[in-house]
Amino acid sequence: MVDIRSEETEERSSLPSLRELLYYLGPGFLISVAYMDPGNWATNISGGAKFGTTLLWVIVLASLMAIGIQIIAAKLGIATGKGVARLCRERLPKPLIWPLWAAAELAMIATDMAEIIGAAIGFSLVFQLPLVAGAVLATVSSFALLGVRTAHRRGFRWVEFTIMALVAVISLAFVFEMVLAQPTAGQIATGLTPSIPNSSALYIAIGILGATVMPHSVYLHPKLVQDRRTQLIEASGDSENVHRRHFQLESIDTTLALFGAMFVNAAMLIVAAASLQGTGIGTLTEAYVTLRSVFGSNSSIAFGIALIAAGLSSSLVATMAGQTVMDGFLDLNVNVWIRRSVTLVPSLAVVLAGFDPTSVLVASQVALSFELPFVLIPLLWFSSQEDIMGNFTNRVRTTYGFAVIIGLIVVLNVWLLYSTLFSAGPPG
């Protein structure tokens, strides 16, 4: 989907060595946790429980769209050294900055709420604890992860390795679940054939597509590529070829990481199809209990551990994104511990108030759906401006393709928002 306007160069076309590629793996994996956070689990599990593997193709389509968007976000950071939030502050009229920042902050709070509640559910299930105790464990663990980041502030690889390890835990858990589920080639082939059996399936399909791209991942990705960008400039100079090579390798990193996220999401749906279809499962807790009865306790424990890893890794990434948003829009760098504490308060308040956690997860996705146009449209605009991007400006066909994807996502998110707020549930 992404093209760069320039002549082909030998450096651009040469294949990277394994050592070079491994050095660049990292930012994409930090971003990938946004695509398998607890807020996405309910939709995937619901789709598999109600319609088997029928909607597997929707996950593939959504993932391909996400790869294109994240590659453009990374390209923006590589070409300009800036992110969407900072460019908004520098390029847009001042009256727009405050509402854009407010919308972004609400999205950060909604994101963090989903991550902490998801991890709290995981802790409560695995260790047989009340949800409040699970929330306390999730809070303590999130602060511990934040300590890893602050302790190695100058060594960005430590943060990447930590997140990559948690992503590996999630992936291995679902490899294990897939081994237990034993899906047939016919089931997978059926799921990859586009079809929508009824209006209720359409509702879930729109949910998968509409809630795929997370706002904080778009804000954060341009920031994550800056460490390597700075090192490359110091080592090799601020040349176009240097940035092209960086972009080539960052595109590989993003593609590999989001294909991994696609596997996790697809595995969720396939496992749900194998174990939950026809059961009327509607919550993560019910899914955990049913997995235990169908595949045994090891299956449910793996499910719970993966949920904990998804919640904690996503929580750390959401905190990093929150800092990026505040620094970009307001040129204000708040202490990371204060930032973490402030965004935790709403999550703990929701748990202590006794709200249904699944309903809160759904509400968080609605909030994120509302914010999405406010980051995707500026991303499209900035990446299409030659005075900003130089020779990295999107080609016309890239801009049109990106615009179609954004239009589709925005329409689906508006539909989801309307359906959630003004109807009792999915049609049909």
Side-chain angles (χ1 to χ4, degrees):
M1 172 180 170
V2 180
D3 298 300
I4 299 177
R5 298 189 306 180
S6 73
E7 297 295 325
E8 292 290 333
T9 64
E10 180 179 350
E11 183 173 358
R12 179 186 176 192
S13 60
S14 62
L15 294 176
S17 66
L18 179 60
R19 181 178 179 181
E20 186 181 21
L21 179 60
L22 289 176
Y23 173 74
Y24 281 89
L25 295 182
F29 286 87
L30 266 71
I31 293 303
S32 73
V33 300
Y35 295 89
M36 44 187 160
D37 72 345
N40 294 329
W41 285 46
T43 304
N44 295 327
I45 290 171
S46 178
K50 292 181 179 179
F51 303 106
T53 59
T54 303
L55 300 180
L56 185 60
W57 68 274
V58 181
I59 290 176
V60 174
L61 176 61
S63 299
L64 294 176
M65 289 165 49
I67 289 171
I69 290 171
Q70 292 298 159
I71 286 177
I72 289 178
K75 184 176 74 167
L76 180 73
I78 291 169
T80 67
K82 303 172 183 178
V84 176
R86 182 174 173 184
L87 286 170
C88 283
R89 173 165 57 88
E90 294 178 351
R91 297 276 179 163
L92 298 182
K94 288 186 177 181
L96 287 178
I97 303 305
W98 286 100
L100 285 174
W101 169 71
E105 288 293 352
L106 289 175
M108 297 304 111
I109 292 172
T111 299
D112 204 44
M113 188 175 297
E115 324 309 15
I116 291 298
I117 290 177
I121 294 172
F123 276 118
S124 67
L125 293 174
V126 171
F127 297 105
Q128 300 297 300
L129 299 170
L131 185 61
V132 172
V136 172
L137 281 177
T139 300
V140 172
S141 300
S142 69
F143 273 109
L145 274 179
L146 191 60
V148 171
R149 178 177 182 266
T150 54
H152 301 284
R153 184 173 297 176
R154 297 185 180 179
F156 61 90
R157 291 295 275 172
W158 281 97
V159 178
E160 293 175 353
F161 288 150
T162 301
I163 296 297
M164 291 168 76
L166 291 170
V167 169
V169 169
I170 301 168
S171 301
L172 289 173
F174 277 98
V175 167
F176 177 66
E177 299 285 7
M178 287 283 281
V179 170
L180 295 178
Q182 297 182 340
T184 65
Q187 289 173 322
I188 295 176
T190 299
L192 293 175
T193 303
S195 65
I196 300 290
N198 55 43
S199 57
S200 183
L202 176 62
Y203 183 90
I204 293 177
I206 290 175
I208 293 172
L209 279 170
T212 294
V213 182
M214 294 290 101
H216 68 286
S217 66
V218 179
Y219 281 119
L220 183 59
H221 206 163
K223 175 68 174 178
L224 293 177
V225 302
Q226 295 309 308
D227 290 309
R228 289 173 177 80
R229 184 179 188 275
T230 300
Q231 290 185 356
L232 283 169
I233 291 174
E234 291 175 351
S236 305
D238 191 4
S239 70
E240 184 176 328
N241 281 341
V242 167
H243 295 312
R244 288 190 184 287
R245 188 61 164 178
H246 186 189
F247 176 67
Q248 178 191 30
L249 290 160
E250 187 56 48
S251 298
I252 295 172
D253 169 50
T254 301
T255 302
L256 289 175
L258 293 189
F259 262 102
M262 180 177 70
F263 163 78
V264 170
N265 284 300
M268 285 184 205
L269 187 140
I270 292 170
V271 170
S275 59
L276 310 177
Q277 190 170 4
T279 61
I281 293 299
T283 69
L284 296 176
T285 301
E286 291 172 343
Y288 177 90
V289 172
T290 305
L291 281 172
R292 176 186 293 175
S293 64
V294 175
F295 294 137
S297 60
N298 289 337
S299 173
S300 61
I301 290 173
F303 179 89
I305 290 174
L307 182 56
I308 293 170
L312 294 180
S313 59
S314 301
S315 179
L316 176 58
V317 170
T319 301
M320 296 167 64
Q323 281 192 301
T324 300
V325 162
M326 184 167 286
D327 180 53
F329 278 115
L330 305 182
D331 195 20
L332 181 63
N333 191 4
V334 176
N335 181 278
V336 66
W337 296 98
I338 296 175
R339 176 86 202 184
R340 168 78 285 184
S341 300
V342 169
T343 55
L344 271 173
V345 170
S347 306
L348 293 176
V350 165
V351 172
L352 292 173
F355 288 102
D356 175 61
T358 301
S359 298
V360 174
L361 289 177
V362 172
S364 71
Q365 300 308 295
V366 172
L368 293 172
S369 298
F370 179 76
E371 157 64 9
L372 202 52
F374 297 102
V375 61
L376 289 185
I377 293 174
L379 175 62
L380 171 63
W381 173 256
F382 295 140
S383 63
S384 303
Q385 300 301 302
E386 190 169 1
D387 63 325
I388 296 175
M389 300 290 290
N391 287 334
F392 285 79
T393 308
N394 292 341
R395 288 181 180 267
V396 173
R397 67 178 181 229
T398 301
T399 298
Y400 285 156
F402 190 18
V404 169
I405 290 175
I406 291 175
L408 177 62
I409 291 174
V410 169
V411 168
L412 295 179
N413 275 290
V414 169
W415 193 91
L416 278 175
L417 182 64
Y418 176 85
S419 300
T420 304
L421 295 178
F422 299 106
S423 68

